[in-house]
Amino acid sequence: MRKGKWLVSYHNYTLDRFDGEYAIFLKRPEETEQLLIHRSDIVVPVKEGDIVRIEDNGITYNMNVLHEETNAQKARIQQLMKQLREKK
């Protein structure tokens, strides 16, 4: 999609961790590609494990936390952990 003369792209990422002044996001769904964003460029409250849609217009990043996807992912992880505990 084009916005003015800039190419706008967006992808979903999981916030993996904060490392010093940077947030490290993993591109979904494979989560093998990293995106580092300086903390000062993050204007929405995010925490580790949140799934966010990040739009890159070449100048700034716009972020939206995907609450439903985050909650669904947390539920899947809790279910897997429960299954692992029950196997012991």
Side-chain angles (χ1 to χ4, degrees):
M1 127 180 22
R2 288 210 171 264
K3 185 177 182 179
K5 65 179 182 177
W6 299 102
L7 178 63
V8 177
S9 66
Y10 61 89
H11 297 282
N12 292 348
Y13 292 85
T14 301
L15 175 56
D16 183 52
R17 65 190 182 281
F18 289 99
D19 189 2
E21 293 297 314
Y22 290 89
I24 299 167
F25 293 90
L26 301 176
K27 187 175 179 183
R28 295 182 60 82
E30 296 86 11
E31 297 191 342
T32 56
E33 190 177 321
Q34 292 185 351
L35 174 66
L36 278 64
I37 299 178
H38 197 273
R39 284 181 186 242
S40 65
D41 293 330
I42 300 173
V43 297
V44 297
V46 293
K47 58 187 179 304
E48 293 175 358
D50 280 348
I51 297 173
V52 296
R53 172 163 285 167
I54 299 177
E55 178 184 296
D56 179 5
N57 64 16
I59 299 172
T60 61
Y61 294 104
N62 295 317
M63 289 183 203
N64 293 311
V65 177
L66 304 175
H67 296 286
E68 287 182 25
E69 288 186 32
T70 299
N71 292 336
Q73 181 70 7
K74 287 179 181 179
R76 281 191 294 275
I77 291 169
Q78 288 175 347
Q79 182 63 32
L80 289 171
M81 298 212 26
K82 180 181 175 185
Q83 290 174 353
L84 287 172
R85 277 188 233 115
E86 290 174 353
K87 286 186 177 183
K88 290 184 176 183

